[in-house]
Amino acid sequence: MARSRKEILMFNTTQRLVHWLHTAAFALLMLTGIMIYVPWFSRTMATGSGGYVIRALHRLGAIAFMLVPVIYIVFSPKECLEAMKRIFTWGKEDLGWLQAAPAYYFLGDEEAMPPQDKYNTGQKLFYLVVVVCMAGFIFTGLLMWFGKQLVPAWAFQWSVFIHDLCTVAYGAFFLVHFVLSVMHPLMKGAINGMLFGWMPEDYVKHHHAKYYQEKYGAGKSQ
């Protein structure tokens, strides 16, 4: 529901909390991970007592990262289930988005863009990567943390490879998501949803028309 017909509640407190906890945890993991694995940094910063601190911070970030799905499921199970259903449900509008996205984002041409759900196709792609890579991060990270002496060398090496592969994919999508959410002129208004929960009604009608019609269309309660 909306506070007024000018703004619509898109994300509750739990959703905003896990979004920003995820953002902070991943930023800390990326920063410390680079210091651990990039040779120049690892030689100069990740040795001795400095290396101990960096690894401790990386593990702290990992704990926060693993808390994200736990908090979401425990404190907002209905919204979590709904979000998973939306990001795993694809249709003709998603194909239309993929076709229209280059002209939309690079040229500002909105005519061919089909009506979008609560999460547009690009956001659904990002969240799919989040879900898949988060599972990969947690499994391989725990194995690397606690299982180094318990598994064969080849299993440990594959865990490192998968962990790094997830980092590349996750990092690329994270960067695109950040740039579009914060800097792209067509996306002004989107950041309000994750800062305050509420988004301008006109923005929702324009950028998430399918969702708006589902929730607030003709015959729906206002």
Side-chain angles (χ1 to χ4, degrees):
M1 291 296 292
R3 291 189 273 192
S4 69
R5 294 296 294 136
K6 297 299 182 182
E7 290 188 323
I8 291 173
L9 180 64
M10 295 290 280
F11 303 105
N12 66 23
T13 301
T14 300
Q15 289 173 308
R16 301 198 308 277
L17 171 64
V18 297
H19 178 273
W20 293 113
L21 178 61
H22 159 260
T23 301
F26 182 69
L28 178 59
L29 288 168
M30 280 293 290
L31 178 62
T32 54
I34 288 171
M35 292 179 180
I36 292 169
Y37 288 106
V38 174
W40 187 88
F41 287 105
S42 63
R43 286 194 301 267
T44 58
M45 302 179 68
T47 57
S49 58
Y52 177 82
V53 171
I54 290 170
R55 283 169 171 78
L57 288 173
H58 194 77
R59 290 166 180 168
L60 179 64
I63 293 170
F65 193 77
M66 288 186 287
L67 281 175
V68 168
V70 175
I71 294 172
Y72 202 175
I73 292 168
V74 170
F75 292 99
S76 205
K78 180 181 177 181
E79 288 76 13
C80 181
L81 182 62
E82 180 195 23
M84 292 301 102
K85 182 179 178 181
R86 289 185 186 277
I87 69 172
F88 281 98
T89 300
W90 290 61
K92 63 181 181 179
E93 293 90 355
D94 298 299
L95 179 60
W97 184 95
L98 292 171
Q99 295 171 332
Y104 179 78
Y105 287 102
F106 291 106
L107 302 176
D109 183 0
E110 304 181 64
E111 290 189 11
M113 184 60 68
Q116 294 293 295
D117 198 1
K118 183 174 184 177
Y119 309 105
N120 67 37
T121 306
Q123 291 169 326
K124 287 162 73 171
L125 278 171
F126 172 64
Y127 292 133
L128 281 173
V129 170
V130 167
V131 171
V132 172
C133 288
M134 182 174 282
F137 276 135
I138 292 173
F139 178 78
T140 59
L142 288 173
L143 191 150
M144 293 160 63
W145 190 351
F146 298 107
K148 186 173 183 179
Q149 308 300 326
L150 303 176
V151 299
W154 65 266
F156 184 82
Q157 291 168 355
W158 269 104
S159 294
V160 174
F161 174 75
I162 294 171
H163 204 79
D164 292 347
L165 193 64
C166 288
T167 300
V168 173
Y170 208 99
F173 272 88
F174 186 90
L175 180 61
V176 172
H177 179 71
F178 174 81
V179 170
L180 291 179
S181 299
V182 176
M183 302 175 63
H184 198 285
L186 290 176
M187 299 295 104
K188 290 180 179 178
I191 193 67
N192 287 349
M194 280 304 173
L195 287 175
F196 310 110
W198 301 85
M199 295 174 68
E201 182 190 20
D202 289 343
Y203 182 91
V204 177
K205 289 172 70 174
H206 187 67
H207 291 271
H208 305 277
K210 182 180 177 181
Y211 174 77
Y212 183 85
Q213 184 63 29
E214 173 191 327
K215 294 293 185 180
Y216 305 99
K220 304 287 184 176
S221 60
Q222 303 297 317

